[in-house]
Structures are given as C-alpha cells and as structure tokens.
Amino acid sequence: MDSNGARSVRRNQGWVVFLLIYIILIGIVLLPVILNPYPGMPDYPNHLARMSILTEWHKSSWLQQYYVLLDVPVPNMAMDIIVPVLYELGMELEIATRTLVGITIVVLVTGVSFLGYTISGSVPWASLLVFAFVYNRYFIWGFLNYFFGLGLVCWVLALWILLREISWVKRLILFSTLNILLLYTHLMVIGIFGLTLVGYELWRGTRRCPWDYRGFLLSLSQFVIPLVLYIVIFQHGTGLQPIYNDILLSKIYGILGTFITYKTYNFYYEFIIMAGLMVFVIWGFRNGYLSMRREAGIIILPLIFAFAVLPWRMMGSWFLDRRLPIAALLLIIGFLSWNGPIRGRQAILAVGAMMAIIALKAYVISWHWNKASLAFTDYRRSFAELDIGSRVFTFMGPSKHQEEFPPVRHVAGLAVVDRDVFIPNLFAYPLDLEIV
C-alpha cells in the first residue's frame, strides 16, 4: 500500500473512532432529558403550558375564553413550530416538548462540529469540547429557541464558508431563505449570524489588497428580504425600551453563566468540572495539541462589541447581553483544531478525561432534574383538585435569588396543561404581564 493509501485508511479509521465517541457523548448529554419527565428549567412549565394552548385551543372553550392565539408571527417560534408538528404526528404533548429539548441539544453540538469540519477540512476532534458547555446557565433557564437558533447559526455559517464558489444568485436565494428560518427561530440569532458574518468577511478582506468592498456589501444583501419581512409582518414586541441593570455585574454574570450551570446546583461538582476542563484546555494549548485559527479573533470581535453595548433587557427580552458569551464560545470551539495524537496512550487519556468531565456534568444535571421532576409532580397532583376552567391567582414575591430550586416560579403553567385554567402571568414576569 502506498503512502496515499495508508493516509486514506488512517483518515477513515479516524472518522470511525470520532463518530463512535460522538454518538456516545450525544447519548450522555441526552440522558438528563431521557431519564426525567420534566427538564428542571424555570421556564419549562410555561413552555409546556404554551404548547398545550397551541395544540388544544380549538378543542377547549375555556382556553378560547382565556387566551388568544396571535395570527402575527413572532421572531421566537422554533418551539411553537416544531412541537405542534410532533404532536400532530402522534407524539404526546409532553414527550413532544421534551423531544424539542433533545433536538435542540443535537442541533447545537452537530452545528459546532460541522463548523469545525468545514474550517479544518478534517476530523473535528476539538469540537468535542462543545459537549462540556451544552448545560450552561442560560440553557438551564430554558432559552430553548435561542439555543436551537445558535445551533442553526453554526450550520449556516459553515454552509456560507463551504459554498463560497457557487454562483452569487444561488447563494443569495439559499442564504436569504436560511436567514428567514433564523428569524423565525429567534431574533437574536439572526443578529448573531449577521455579526459573525461581518467578522468573517472583514477577515477575508484583510487578506486582499485592495479590499473587495463590493463583495462585502453583496454578502450583506442576504439580510434584505428577512429585514423587510420583519418590518412588515412580524410582531415587534414592546419597542426597543433598553434597560441597563448593574452593567458591570451583568457582564460578569454573562461570562460566568457560560461555565456555571445554576447557582443552586452543587458548587463543588461545578468547581471540579470546570477545573478539570480548564486543566485539559491549558494542557492542550501548552503542548501544542490545541490551536485556534487566527481568523477566530476577528470573527468574534463584533460579538464582543455587541456584548459590551447591549443592555440587560430590550424589546421585551431579558438577559440580552448575558446570552452572547456562550455564542462566542461555541464559535471559538468551532475554530479550534486538535493537532495532537489521535491514537496511543495520550489520545486515550485525553478522550477519557473529556468523557469523564461531560459524564459528571450530565450526572449533576440529571440528579437535580430528578428532584425538580418530583416537585413538579407534587404540584401537578395538587392542581388536579382544581375545577376545569378555574382562574388561578399567581404571585411571585421579591427574591434575592432568581435561581430558586426546585425552579417553581412558573409551576402554575402545569395547571393550564391539565385543567385549562387561567393564570395572569403566562410566560411573563412581574411588571411585564403579557398574556399569550
């Protein structure tokens, strides 16, 4: 066998090993979703209530009396589209909603890995790091549409890089369509893709002299149709209304939330997980096994700027600035390369350490979600005593900590699922009571 044939065999073996490890890691991070009837997310009962209204509204006179289905699209609809489709295909509502959680995880990790493959042109070993960051604080809070959209951003960016050589007309049609999809998924993610695209095209521009400004402007034309659609047919929320709240602390919390899951989870486990991950990454860089492509720094610069200037709340959405560090981190992982051994003792130790860290994190999440599921079940048993169509007064008192455990601040949403009740704060916070 010649040298080219030997390299081809090693490359194919590398892919087989990578895919096997990848499937195992997907199984590990999905275990908390599979093993627990309720994801322990503060927003999850309200997600479930909203899905119940969307799927049962036409059958329930009580729901029709209490809630109105909007006929105007909202740029935050990934769940609202996918879950009813799964329900119509025969899934039970609660299984369909949990399936959306699982789909979100799969779209997120595969998007980062596909981006890594597109950038490197080889097995994206470094992208395995993404599994350690699936369960970050903002995913745990329940920002499912946002994280589904982040996964799509990685897919779309990879396609943009991969399909540079096709005709401009085809690219315009394809990516205008994909941006419309991003717009329906979540408004923030189309903004993140736009900022990332600007960074990527600026990097490409630095490699040319003179700079191809026409190509740069043409790349932005893919956003014209989505922008027009947003202005003309989409609901625009409450207007801009920016609110800055403890600016420095908000930025710090945004960065920490990328690495820490939930304040009330076991801090010692969190410390062990993050310390182990930091040791692994530092070891990889110091030994030259991990490297980051130079363009990554320029690509995330627009995201860093947006993180610095965005408010804590705007257009009816909360924690806008805090959501950006995890987006930047996922993109950075996509631009990492593994230059170390892919076989032998060191490779086995590296993969084993990574899998142990990810498994420990999944265990911590699953343990807490089991406790949350028991609490949700108890509340639901109590709600069964309510008359169908009741009106339920809900009250969330002032709290020093927003991350109570069990996360029951929206637990009244479960009464909407079972008893078609009215609650005044369906997916709303105090002083922001917007009924669906």
Side-chain angles (χ1 to χ4, degrees):
M1 183 182 297
D2 60 20
S3 60
N4 290 333
R7 281 196 298 269
S8 177
V9 170
R10 287 195 297 270
R11 185 167 55 249
N12 291 337
Q13 290 175 343
W15 272 111
V16 170
V17 174
F18 174 80
L19 291 175
L20 178 60
I21 294 171
Y22 205 83
I23 292 171
I24 293 172
L25 289 176
I26 286 180
I28 290 174
V29 295
L30 287 178
L31 278 177
V33 182
I34 296 170
L35 296 178
N36 299 288
Y38 303 97
M41 302 171 171
D43 288 351
Y44 190 76
N46 244 317
H47 287 320
L48 201 56
R50 200 173 78 257
M51 294 305 101
S52 178
I53 293 171
L54 287 176
T55 55
E56 301 294 332
W57 187 84
H58 297 285
K59 306 173 188 176
S60 170
S61 59
W62 291 111
L63 293 180
Q64 293 174 27
Q65 177 181 338
Y66 293 146
Y67 306 102
V68 176
L69 298 186
L70 298 176
D71 56 2
V72 179
V74 178
N76 187 7
M77 296 182 65
M79 179 184 295
D80 304 60
I81 295 172
I82 295 172
V83 171
V85 170
L86 295 176
Y87 179 77
E88 290 299 322
L89 291 175
M91 277 192 185
E92 295 181 7
L93 179 65
E94 294 177 41
I95 294 177
T97 309
R98 279 168 58 204
T99 299
L100 185 276
V101 180
I103 291 173
T104 299
I105 292 173
V106 172
V107 169
L108 187 66
V109 298
T110 56
V112 173
S113 296
F114 182 54
L115 177 61
Y117 165 71
T118 302
I119 295 298
S120 67
S122 59
V123 182
W125 290 102
S127 71
L128 295 178
L129 281 169
V130 69
F131 288 95
F133 296 98
V134 168
Y135 291 106
N136 56 82
R137 176 176 293 174
Y138 307 105
F139 183 85
I140 295 294
W141 278 356
F143 297 164
L144 296 176
N145 290 343
Y146 176 70
F147 280 96
F148 183 88
L150 281 186
L152 291 183
V153 165
C154 294
W155 277 98
V156 176
L157 179 61
L159 288 173
W160 176 260
I161 296 170
L162 194 63
L163 301 177
R164 289 207 63 87
E165 302 307 318
I166 67 173
S167 71
W168 177 249
V169 173
K170 291 179 180 178
R171 292 179 76 196
L172 179 61
I173 294 172
L174 173 61
F175 286 95
S176 294
T177 303
L178 291 175
N179 275 290
I180 292 171
L181 176 62
L182 292 178
L183 178 61
Y184 270 94
T185 301
H186 198 285
L187 182 60
M188 271 199 77
V189 300
I190 190 173
I192 289 171
F193 175 66
L195 291 172
T196 306
L197 183 73
V198 167
Y200 178 76
E201 292 300 321
L202 286 175
W203 169 76
R204 290 189 75 252
T206 62
R207 302 172 64 196
R208 295 186 176 187
C209 186
W211 182 43
D212 182 15
Y213 68 91
R214 291 182 180 177
F216 176 75
L217 294 176
L218 282 173
S219 69
L220 298 182
S221 64
Q222 63 184 285
F223 299 104
V224 172
I225 295 176
L227 178 62
V228 171
L229 288 178
Y230 175 69
I231 293 173
V232 174
I233 70 171
F234 276 77
Q235 186 188 49
H236 301 143
T238 58
L240 291 179
Q241 298 183 356
I243 297 176
Y244 290 87
N245 184 24
D246 294 329
I247 297 175
L248 180 59
L249 282 177
S250 183
K251 308 306 179 185
I252 293 173
Y253 286 149
I255 295 171
L256 292 178
T258 302
F259 304 97
I260 299 173
T261 50
Y262 206 69
K263 288 180 182 177
T264 48
Y265 283 10
N266 192 306
F267 175 76
Y268 299 104
Y269 279 119
E270 294 278 357
F271 179 80
I272 292 171
I273 292 168
M274 296 318 303
L277 190 61
M278 289 179 64
V279 168
F280 177 83
V281 171
I282 292 172
W283 169 81
F285 274 105
R286 288 195 64 178
N287 288 278
Y289 296 154
L290 276 175
S291 62
M292 185 170 66
R293 295 178 66 94
R294 286 176 295 178
E295 62 263 38
I298 298 177
I299 287 172
I300 67 169
L301 273 179
L303 287 180
I304 294 174
F305 176 77
F307 173 62
V309 301
L310 270 179
W312 173 68
R313 180 185 172 196
M314 188 169 66
M315 299 177 69
S317 293
W318 297 64
F319 310 111
L320 289 186
D321 54 347
R322 300 187 192 185
R323 302 184 194 207
L324 288 177
I326 183 62
L329 178 63
L330 294 176
L331 290 167
I332 288 173
I333 292 174
F335 281 85
L336 288 178
S337 296
W338 175 259
N339 310 308
I342 58 173
R343 53 176 57 84
R345 183 180 178 184
Q346 282 190 320
I348 293 173
L349 288 174
V351 172
M354 176 61 61
M355 295 181 74
I357 291 170
I358 294 166
L360 179 60
K361 193 163 190 176
Y363 166 76
V364 172
I365 299 299
S366 189
W367 189 90
H368 283 86
W369 282 14
N370 176 258
K371 299 300 180 184
S373 292
L374 293 175
F376 288 165
T377 300
D378 287 341
Y379 275 100
R380 203 162 183 178
R381 191 177 297 117
S382 299
F383 293 149
E385 303 298 321
L386 295 170
D387 292 332
I388 294 179
S390 298
R391 300 187 181 196
V392 177
F393 173 75
T394 59
F395 174 76
M396 290 180 286
S399 173
K400 184 178 180 181
H401 302 289
Q402 292 183 328
E403 298 182 353
E404 78 284 347
F405 188 83
V408 295
R409 63 176 51 219
H410 293 302
V411 74
L414 298 175
V416 177
V417 178
D418 291 335
R419 311 305 289 173
D420 292 356
V421 305
F422 171 81
I423 58 175
N425 67 322
L426 185 63
F427 216 78
Y429 287 80
L431 305 182
D432 187 31
L433 305 181
E434 297 177 4
I435 306 304
V436 171

